[in-house]
Amino acid sequence: MGTFCFCSSMTSNFNVPQVLPPSDPKLVVNGGSTLSGHVTVSGSKNSALPILAATLCCSGSSNLKNVPCLSDTRTMASILESLGAQVMSFGGDIVVNTDGIVSVEPDSSDVGKLRGGFFVIGPLLARFGEASVGLPGGCDIGVRPVDLYIHGLRALGSTVELRDGKVQAHVSNGKGLTGARFRLGYPSVGATETLMMAACMAEGKTVISNAAQEPEIIDLASFLTNCGAVVEGAGTDTLYITGRRKLYGSEYSIMPDRIEVGTYMLAAAITRSCISISPVPHSNLTCLVDKLSGAGCKILQLSDDTLELSAVPRTIGDDLQGFNIKTNPFPGFPTDLQPLTMALLSTCKGVSVIEESVFENRMSHVTELQKFGAKFQVCGSRATVFGTGNASPLCGSQVNATDLRGGMSLVLAGLAAEGITEIRGISHVDRGYESLEMKLQGLGANVIRTTTTFPPGEVWKG
C-alpha cells in the first residue's frame, strides 16, 4: 500500500520532523479593513472528491492535477488507501494506482467524516461486483438520504441491503452491472455522480433522467471520458452512458472551485472592496453575478479567466442594495453560497428574503450571525434579513462554526465587523477552503490562526 503525504512538494527519503498544529485552533479576525489585490482560486473540492472516487473504476494510475489541499481530500485519499490503492502526492498533484485493491469495504470511520466518502460504492460495485460501505457523514445541514443511490444501483442490476450500519451491495447476476433506464426522484449531485461511475462499466446502455446539471458533473464526465468511458449529455438533465468493460487511468486537471470564486466575490462585496479573482469559470456563476450586479457591485471580466469585483462606495456611487434569493439545483442559486450571501445582505440596505429549498437544516448560522448585531427573522427554511447598510456596521464577536459554509459566513461577517472576531470550530471551514488565512492576508485582511483568546474589546493589530 502506498503512502499519502498530502501537500508535500516531493516525496523523499529524508525524515523531516512534523510540527503538529495547536489544539483547538480558531480564526481571529480584526475586521474593518478594505481588501485589495488578487486572489488565485484552488481546484474544486466538489469535483475532486468524486473524481478521486472515480479512479477506482480505472486500471493503472491516474494523475490528478490541481487537487486542493483540504481535510476532505485527505480523508478521501485515506479511504482509497484503506481499499488497497496506492496514493501519492506531489504538490497539487495526486497519483492514484488502483491495481493493488484488496478490499471492497472502505474504512467506516473515514467514510463517516464526509458525504463524498459514499461515492466509492458505485466504482467498487461496477469493477469488483460488490461493495460494503458505511453511511456517509459531512455537515449536519439536512437528512440527505442515500435512497436515490440505492434505487439507481438496483436498477443497474445489483442487490442492495442496509445491514449493520453499512450499505451492502453485490451484482445480482454474479457477472456485472447491466445498463438500464431510470429517473432520479430528485436531481441529487452525489447520486448522479455515483450512478454515472457505476454505469460507465455496466454492460449495455444506461439513460439517467432528471440528472443533476452542476458543472462538477461535467468535470467528472470529462475525467471518465479521458479514461475510456462513453458519457453524453453531461450538464443536461439526461445522461446517456455506454458501458465499457475496462477503463484506464489518465491525467486530468480538476476545474477551479466556483464556490470559492463566489466566496471571494462576496468577501469583496461585504467589505466594500475591489479585488480580482482567477481562474474564474464565469458561466458557472451567472446567478451570483446577476444578483451582485443588481445590488450595485461593478463586475468586470478582465480576461478570459480573470474577474474584478468592486463594491467601493466612491466607485459604485451608493451603498449596496439588498436582494432576494431562493436556492435551487444548478443553474439556480447555489445552496453552498446561501449562508455567505446572508452575511452580505445583513450589511446591505433594505429588507431581503432568503429561501432555502435544497437542505432543510441550512439556517444554523443565523444564531451566530446575530451575535454580530445582524437582524433576521426565520420561519422554517425562510429568512428575512433586515439590512442596515454601512450606517450601522456589524460588531466583532466570539462565534462558533458548526458546518463548512455556515462557518465561512462567520469569517465574512468578521471581515466586515468593527473590532475583533474569534471563530471557533474553524476545522469545519478547513474542509472546503485551501490556505484560507494566507489568501485573506494576501488581500490585506488582518486574520490569524491561533489558540490565544482575546478579551472582548481588546484591539489586536494584525
Side-chain angles (χ1 to χ4, degrees):
M1 186 180 299
T3 58
F4 181 68
C5 183
F6 208 98
C7 286
S8 60
S9 58
M10 191 78 126
T11 54
S12 71
N13 294 322
F14 295 101
N15 292 320
V16 180
Q18 184 179 12
V19 179
L20 297 177
S23 59
D24 299 325
K26 69 191 80 169
L27 206 66
V28 181
V29 184
N30 191 8
S33 297
T34 300
L35 306 182
S36 63
H38 180 81
V39 63
T40 300
V41 173
S42 301
S44 169
K45 182 199 87 154
N46 289 340
S47 270
L49 296 182
I51 289 175
L52 279 166
T55 63
L56 293 171
C57 293
C58 308
S59 300
S61 294
S62 295
N63 183 3
L64 305 181
K65 297 181 175 296
N66 201 34
V67 180
C69 179
L70 304 168
S71 57
D72 270 14
T73 48
R74 288 194 291 271
T75 300
M76 181 60 84
S78 295
I79 289 172
L80 298 180
E81 286 192 317
S82 72
L83 297 167
Q86 185 179 48
V87 184
M88 293 174 288
S89 172
F90 305 90
D93 293 4
I94 293 182
V95 178
V96 183
N97 185 291
T98 63
D99 288 343
I101 296 293
V102 294
S103 173
V104 293
E105 184 173 343
D107 181 84
S108 293
S109 62
D110 280 334
V111 173
K113 292 176 183 176
L114 73 162
R115 183 69 177 179
F118 195 70
F119 295 159
V120 300
I121 193 170
L124 289 174
L125 192 57
R127 185 173 170 191
F128 303 103
E130 59 180 323
S132 177
V133 182
L135 294 174
C139 293
D140 183 16
I141 55 176
V143 177
R144 304 198 291 187
V146 296
D147 58 332
L148 294 173
Y149 301 66
I150 293 173
H151 293 327
L153 293 174
R154 285 174 175 164
L156 291 170
S158 64
T159 300
V160 187
E161 299 176 290
L162 181 60
R163 196 167 60 241
D164 300 325
K166 296 180 180 179
V167 178
Q168 314 266 3
H170 63 271
V171 295
S172 303
N173 61 12
K175 297 178 181 179
L177 296 178
T178 54
R181 301 178 66 97
F182 56 90
R183 176 183 175 84
L184 292 175
Y186 179 84
S188 159
V189 176
T192 300
E193 291 168 335
T194 301
L195 298 172
M196 182 199 308
M197 290 185 272
C200 280
M201 300 187 74
E203 183 179 355
K205 294 186 177 181
T206 296
V207 179
I208 305 174
S209 57
N210 199 32
Q213 303 176 52
E214 271 70 5
E216 293 79 13
I217 300 292
I218 300 174
D219 212 28
L220 174 60
S222 297
F223 169 72
L224 290 167
T225 299
N226 271 14
C227 299
V230 180
V231 181
E232 298 174 288
T236 74
D237 65 355
T238 306
L239 293 173
Y240 303 89
I241 304 167
T242 303
R244 289 287 183 259
R245 187 180 300 274
K246 199 167 187 178
L247 301 181
Y248 299 90
S250 69
E251 184 175 295
Y252 190 77
S253 183
I254 306 294
M255 67 177 278
D257 195 319
R258 65 188 176 101
I259 302 302
E260 188 181 9
V261 172
T263 296
Y264 286 106
M265 290 174 68
L266 290 164
I270 199 171
T271 57
R272 307 305 193 263
S273 303
C274 179
I275 66 171
S276 60
I277 310 165
S278 71
V280 175
H282 188 267
S283 61
N284 297 341
L285 288 162
T286 302
C287 195
L288 178 63
V289 169
D290 289 347
K291 290 293 185 181
L292 291 179
S293 295
C297 294
K298 301 298 183 184
I299 302 175
L300 299 175
Q301 193 75 31
L302 300 182
S303 67
D304 288 344
D305 71 344
T306 304
L307 175 151
E308 179 186 83
L309 185 144
S310 177
V312 179
R314 69 174 182 274
T315 300
I316 64 176
D318 196 2
D319 199 7
L320 298 182
Q321 183 67 44
F323 51 88
N324 301 335
I325 63 170
K326 181 178 181 179
T327 65
N328 273 305
F330 190 86
F333 196 91
T335 180
D336 280 352
L337 291 178
Q338 177 262 106
L340 291 73
T341 304
M342 183 181 290
L344 167 65
L345 291 173
S346 71
T347 72
C348 295
K349 294 193 302 182
V351 178
S352 305
V353 176
I354 294 176
E355 292 183 70
E356 174 58 56
S357 68
V358 179
F359 293 122
E360 69 276 9
N361 290 344
R362 197 157 224 173
M363 289 288 177
S364 61
H365 50 281
V366 169
T367 301
E368 298 303 303
L369 285 174
Q370 287 174 325
K371 295 178 181 179
F372 291 93
K375 295 178 173 58
F376 309 98
Q377 186 177 71
V378 179
C379 182
S381 294
R382 178 187 173 99
T384 303
V385 185
F386 300 95
T388 57
N390 281 334
S392 180
L394 303 178
C395 297
S397 184
Q398 293 182 344
V399 291
N400 296 293
T402 58
D403 63 79
L404 167 54
R405 306 304 175 182
M408 193 63 207
S409 75
L410 305 181
V411 177
L412 295 192
L415 291 173
E418 290 187 345
I420 290 176
T421 294
E422 292 185 10
I423 304 157
R424 302 177 187 274
I426 201 64
S427 59
H428 290 289
V429 181
D430 291 338
R431 292 182 47 229
Y433 293 94
E434 182 178 40
S435 305
L436 175 61
E437 61 266 34
M438 292 178 61
K439 291 184 179 183
L440 289 174
Q441 288 165 1
L443 294 172
N446 290 331
V447 179
I448 60 171
R449 184 179 296 250
T450 183
T451 56
T452 302
T453 297
F454 293 85
E458 179 180 333
V459 177
W460 161 65
K461 298 296 184 182

